[in-house]
Amino acid sequence: MRPLLDSLLAQEFAWFTIVVRDDCSDDATLTIVREYAARHPGRIVLLPSPTCTAGAASNFAALIAAANADFIFLCDQDDIWLPGKMATSFAAMGDLVRTWGHDHPLLVHTDLAVVGPDLQPLSDSLHRYARFDPERHALSDLLLGNVVTGCTIVANRSLYANARPIPAEAGMYDHWLGQVATALGEIRLIPEATVLYRQHGRNVVGVRPAGFVRFVLSVQRTIFSDATFRVLCAYCDQADILRVRYGARLTPRQLAQVSALAEVWTLPRRKRFVKLWKAGLRKPRFAGNIALFLLMLRRRDQPKATQGSSLPGPSSPRRSG
C-alpha cells in the first residue's frame, strides 16, 4: 500500500484527492491509509468499509457509486504509478473533451509495464506481453472480451454517471466502463506504459504471457472445465443489461449485436454460433472462434453470474483491500 500512495503523491499532476475504501482487509491497510491521511491533510478521504468482504468488483462499484468529481482514476493497492501517469492521461482526455465536450462519455486508458512481486521487469508492455490488440474498441469486440485495463483508466463524469450503478452482471468494472464508453461515447488508447503492473500469486485477475502454456490452459478451461463457459455466460448476462439500460441509445447495428449475445441461449445449438457470426461477434483469433463454437454447443442451466466473477483475459489484477 505504501508504494502505491507514494507513487500517487509523487505525480507531476497534483490537483486531486485520493479516495480509499477498504474491503475488510486483514492486513495493515487501514493503519497505513490513516497514517498518510494525517501526513497529507485534505488529500486522502477514507470511505466507510463494508461489514464483511464483498470482493474487489463490489468494492470498485462502491467507489464509483460514491464518486463526485469531473474525472476519476482507479487504482489498486499493488499498483505503482509512474510519475507522469496523470499528466499524460489528462492531456489525452483534454483532447477528447475539446472534440466531444464534457457531456459525452469519455475514457482514456494506457499500456502497462509488467513486473514481478519484487518489481523485477518482465515486459515493458502488457499489450505485447499478452499479445492482444488494445485498439479493439468497437462494441462488437468488447462484448466478447476486454482490452481496457482498469488501473490505467481515466473516466469523465458523463461516463461514470451513465455507467453506474455497476450491475451485478458485470464481471469487472473496467470491462463495464469500456462497454458503456464505446456504446455511448469515445475511448482513446495511449500506447505508453504509465503503471507498473505487478504479477504475483494473489492476483484475483492477472495475465499470462502469450505462448504455448497459455494456449494449453485455454484449451483445458474450454474442454475440461466450466471456467471459460462461466465467463461466456457472464458476457451474455452483461449484454442483456446493456440492452435493457441503453438499447434506445445504441445504433441499430450495436443493438443487433447486443441482442444476439443476450438471446443466444434461447436458440437451438446449431444456430447459436451462426447467429453471433452474422451479427459480427467473433474472437480475434482462429483458436478463440473454435472455442466459442464449442461453447455454443453446451447447455446453459446455471443461474446468472454474479459480480466478482474472475474473467480470464487482459484485465487489471484486482485484489480486495
Side-chain angles (χ1 to χ4, degrees), residues 83-289:
K85 179 189 188 303
M86 294 190 77
T88 299
S89 297
F90 259 125
M93 178 60 77
D95 290 342
L96 289 178
V97 169
R98 283 187 288 274
T99 301
W100 297 98
H102 284 284
D103 293 335
H104 205 64
L106 303 172
L107 182 149
V108 171
H109 68 117
T110 78
D111 201 350
L112 311 91
V114 186
V115 298
D118 299 318
L119 304 185
Q120 64 272 28
L122 300 178
S123 174
D124 61 0
S125 169
L126 173 70
H127 301 157
R128 289 195 298 273
Y129 183 75
R131 292 184 195 169
F132 72 92
D133 182 3
E135 294 278 14
R136 291 175 58 86
H137 286 155
L139 184 58
S140 57
D141 298 319
L142 292 184
L143 284 172
L144 287 175
N146 184 30
V147 299
V148 177
T149 309
C151 58
T152 73
I153 286 176
V154 54
N156 71 341
R157 185 191 298 271
S158 180
L159 173 56
Y160 73 75
N162 273 284
R164 65 188 181 188
I166 307 295
E169 290 78 5
M172 261 302 185
Y173 73 94
D174 50 4
H175 195 193
W176 178 254
L177 288 176
Q179 289 186 340
V180 175
T182 197
L184 308 182
E186 300 294 326
I187 297 179
R188 176 172 294 183
L189 166 72
I190 301 174
E192 173 186 335
T194 63
V195 175
L196 299 184
Y197 185 102
R198 197 191 315 239
Q199 292 286 284
H200 55 67
R202 292 180 292 112
N203 293 137
V204 172
V205 182
V207 63
R208 290 183 178 273
F212 181 74
V213 172
R214 195 173 79 177
F215 174 76
V216 170
L217 290 174
S218 178
V219 170
Q220 181 184 36
R221 286 198 305 266
T222 301
I223 299 177
F224 301 109
S225 80
D226 289 330
T228 302
F229 184 66
R230 288 196 299 269
V231 172
L232 178 61
C233 292
Y235 288 161
C236 296
D237 296 340
Q238 195 162 306
D240 194 32
I241 299 300
L242 278 170
R243 178 177 60 171
V244 171
R245 283 200 193 178
Y246 311 113
R249 301 169 64 181
L250 301 178
T251 67
R253 177 68 167 166
Q254 288 175 331
L255 182 57
Q257 292 169 337
V258 169
S259 298
L261 187 58
E263 298 169 356
V264 71
W265 301 110
T266 66
L267 300 174
R269 286 182 173 89
R270 68 182 184 278
K271 295 184 178 181
R272 294 171 187 167
F273 183 79
V274 174
K275 177 72 171 179
L276 297 184
W277 190 268
K278 287 183 176 179
L281 299 179
R282 58 201 66 173
K283 303 294 283 185
R285 294 184 177 86
F286 177 77
N289 285 302

Side-chain angles (χ1 to χ4, degrees), residues 1-8 18-33 36 46 49 53 55-56 59-60 63 73-81 115-117 119 150-152 172-173 195-205 316-321:
M1 191 69 185
R2 292 182 190 276
L4 167 65
L5 292 174
D6 288 338
S7 73
L8 298 181
I18 302 170
V19 181
V20 180
R21 186 176 188 265
D22 180 70
D23 188 33
C24 297
S25 60
D26 56 5
D27 55 18
T29 295
L30 283 175
T31 299
I32 294 170
V33 172
Y36 274 73
L46 183 60
S49 297
T53 300
N59 208 37
F60 277 99
L63 280 164
F73 289 76
L74 295 138
C75 60
D76 182 79
Q77 64 181 13
D78 271 352
D79 300 338
I80 298 178
W81 288 13
V115 298
L119 304 185
C151 58
T152 73
M172 261 302 185
Y173 73 94
V195 175
L196 299 184
Y197 185 102
R198 197 191 315 239
Q199 292 286 284
H200 55 67
R202 292 180 292 112
N203 293 137
V204 172
V205 182
S316 52
R318 295 296 107 193
R319 297 155 296 277
S320 300

